[in-house]
Amino acid sequence: MLKVGILGTGTMAKTHASAYRAIDGVQVAAFADSLPGTLDIVAKEYNAKAYTNYDELINDSSLDIIDVCLPTPLHKENTIKALATGKHVFCEKPVARTLEDAMEVKKAVDAAKGKFMVGHVVRFFPEFMVMKQMIDEGKLGTVGIARTSRIAAQPHGVKDWYENMEMSGGVILDLIIHDFDYLNWFFGKPKRVYAQGLFKKTQEEMDYALVVIRYESGVIAHVEGSWAEPSGFNVKAEICGSKGIIDVEPYKEAPLTINLRDPEVKQAGVIVPEAPVEESQYTTEIRHFIDCIINDKTPRVTVDDAIYALKIGLAALESIETGLPVNID
Amino acid sequence: MIKVGILSCAHMHAGGYAHGLQLLPNVELVGIADENKERGEKFAQHFNIKYIPSYEELIQKVDAVVITSENSKHKALTLMAAEQKKHVLCEKPISVSVADAQAMIDACKQNGVKLQTAFPCRFSPSFKRVKQVVDEGQIGQIIAINGTNHGSMPGGWFTDKELAGGGAVMDHTVHVADLIRYLTGAEFIKVYAEIDKKFHPELNTDDCGTLSMTMTKGIFCTLDPSWSRNSAYPVWGDVTMRIIGTKGVINMDMFNQKLNLYNVDDRKAQWLYYGANTDAGLIKSFIDAIENDTPVFISGEDGLRAMELALGAYLSAEKCQPVELPLVK
């Protein structure tokens, strides 16, 4: 039985906990949060220990895996501490808030006994896996233009840390780093970045960015990230090449809609679209990580992959401030 | 009765404009002049109008001309018509250089004739609704716009730099550039562009790119003018804008009023647009301005500003640096 301790009790912590629970031979054994409340509720639900101190969970010798689901600026310290205990570590994206921090994590990963993976979960979404396969098989020919979009309403995290741009890095480091990662997975090494956005430029409770990445292969990628939508969530991707075009808007693909009549109320009911899956992509991701641990495999997302996604994000933030393109080394 | 002649049908939009002219009861479409006899005669036959080999001769017979020649010939034809005191509706882009466009504007002004640039997208009912919602302040202040004007590679003179002044960026920047300026009332002050040739290696011009524009009023935008639509795609291209405001967001996909056609001989799915005829709106606006002697809705200056963005984009891509606008102060 592999025992998991989860740092944090927010949305991602709960998502990961339910993924671990779905996998045979894995048990969520502990949660840690600096604030009680949610901690007690989730610990009870999973019959797990509740720590109010991160270090105590990290040093719990009964645990095999530490899953870091904390606000971005806390990733480095807790990841490095957890790796030092010899445990396997899963860290939510982004790997760290700064490149310096990320390089320290890399050092710790290189010296560690345990496996390490960062939660760039899009690599486990079937539609993006098929997209990569089509690119790799040459169905699109030479790729010229990639356009992606990830748009949502502004999230409200604990103490509103999402809104604290300096902490979260805004929509660029928290949201569209997903797109940066899978674009790197598709197209290889990024060469330069030009970006425009609201980072540090607005008093409004929103963020918005338009990022252009030029790859060494020549691909021009355009990434839209929004926390400026009044409501909803949507994802789009379109890759255009000399021989083919592939596009997807996964949240618009609903094989099912359920329209229920409300006998109590005379007004129209609400139509709820659904896209049922055999397994959540987060579970697929965690299952892969567990497989890497048990069978000593290299995770699909390496620390270097996570660093390259972060490099694009940091270059985008720098470009927004300077108004100039930023080269990636 | 306003007498109108078409000068050259090198550009395929000549057909749409001829049709728009023939719809109007107060217009007599006198004829087509074209240096290419075969092309001109075919066009004349199709619209049941006279073919006149000489531009000068046709200009003598009319009150106004529609110029749909190759881009680099717009200037000479406009000057020829203006000197004979004839009004001009000129296909986009207005020209291929700031100096030529300015000469066209000056000539029409000096001769007291109207010069309108052909930006039919302003007459799209969807766009008119966008303009109304924005003007009413419903989405607050505009922060950013994410635009596309994708197309198929048109071939012919469009890929001859001498005649077209560029490739995809020259061809497909100006429509959305004009919509953005008209919608925001702001001007472009900086452009950064990544431009390449990835889809049609045989061309002598670019075929794809992404422009990042900074505007007055603190607005930023991007625009993808790529000829990225291949022959297997269900439609020729698109005009889309996502407009991000402080109080809301508008998504516009201008030609997304479509039937899906699946025909075995075509070997592909097709989208058949059934929306409004924007060419007819453009033509009617030009004729109304002549009839009522009012200012044109879309000026030569509007044409120049949109074209200048494309020229700035080419300069930027060459230098890998942002370029300030206007190019000529």
Side-chain angles (χ1 to χ4, degrees), chain B residues 296-312:
Chain B
V296 291
F297 180 37
I298 311 164
S299 68
E301 178 84 4
D302 290 332
L304 189 158
R305 293 274 92 90
M307 174 202 65
E308 187 179 47
L309 179 65
L311 295 173

Side-chain angles (χ1 to χ4, degrees), chain B residues 34-194:
Chain B
D34 200 309
E35 63 218 58
N36 181 327
K37 186 166 183 278
E38 195 191 332
R39 183 172 68 193
E41 280 182 341
K42 202 173 150 197
F43 188 90
Q45 198 177 11
H46 186 267
F47 289 97
N48 195 23
I49 54 177
K50 263 184 251 163
Y51 167 68
I52 295 161
S54 145
Y55 294 122
E56 289 89 343
E57 200 187 324
L58 178 58
I59 289 169
Q60 296 298 334
K61 295 177 190 289
V62 297
D63 307 303
V65 297
V66 174
I67 298 175
T68 31
S69 65
E70 299 88 342
N71 301 341
S72 66
K73 298 178 181 172
H74 289 175
K75 179 193 164 190
L77 292 174
T78 299
L79 265 51
M80 211 187 278
E83 279 156 16
Q84 300 299 316
K85 314 285 181 203
K86 314 295 178 173
H87 305 291
V88 175
L89 172 64
C90 183
E91 179 54 21
K92 63 87 217 170
I94 187 167
S95 183
V96 293
S97 75
V98 173
D100 281 9
Q102 194 58 55
M104 293 162 66
I105 293 167
D106 293 345
C108 289
K109 198 173 170 189
Q110 278 155 23
N111 288 288
V113 294
K114 300 185 192 300
L115 171 60
Q116 174 154 343
T117 311
F119 287 135
C121 293
R122 283 203 200 187
F123 298 90
S124 147
S126 295
F127 180 74
K128 284 191 210 168
R129 174 75 179 132
V130 169
K131 173 78 172 147
Q132 182 198 1
V133 170
V134 167
D135 286 352
E136 287 170 1
Q138 291 193 49
I139 65 162
Q141 281 178 308
I142 294 178
I143 292 169
I145 297 174
N146 174 4
T148 68
N149 185 192
H150 294 125
S152 315
M153 197 275 287
W157 63 265
F158 284 89
T159 63
D160 180 330
K161 197 174 179 303
E162 289 302 307
L163 291 171
V169 171
M170 191 51 145
D171 189 32
H172 270 192
T173 291
V174 293
H175 282 299
V176 175
D178 179 66
L179 295 182
I180 290 173
R181 284 184 65 248
Y182 174 58
L183 185 65
T184 60
E187 291 292 349
F188 300 113
I189 52 176
K190 198 172 91 170
V191 59
Y192 175 83
E194 295 283 358

Side-chain angles (χ1 to χ4, degrees), chain A residues 170-191:
Chain A
V171 77
I172 288 179
L173 286 194
D174 203 76
L175 189 66
I176 53 176
I177 196 155
H178 279 304
D179 302 71
F180 302 155
D181 176 66
Y182 80 73
L183 288 168
N184 290 345
W185 190 42
F186 289 177
F187 303 125
K189 198 177 168 302
K191 188 173 167 187

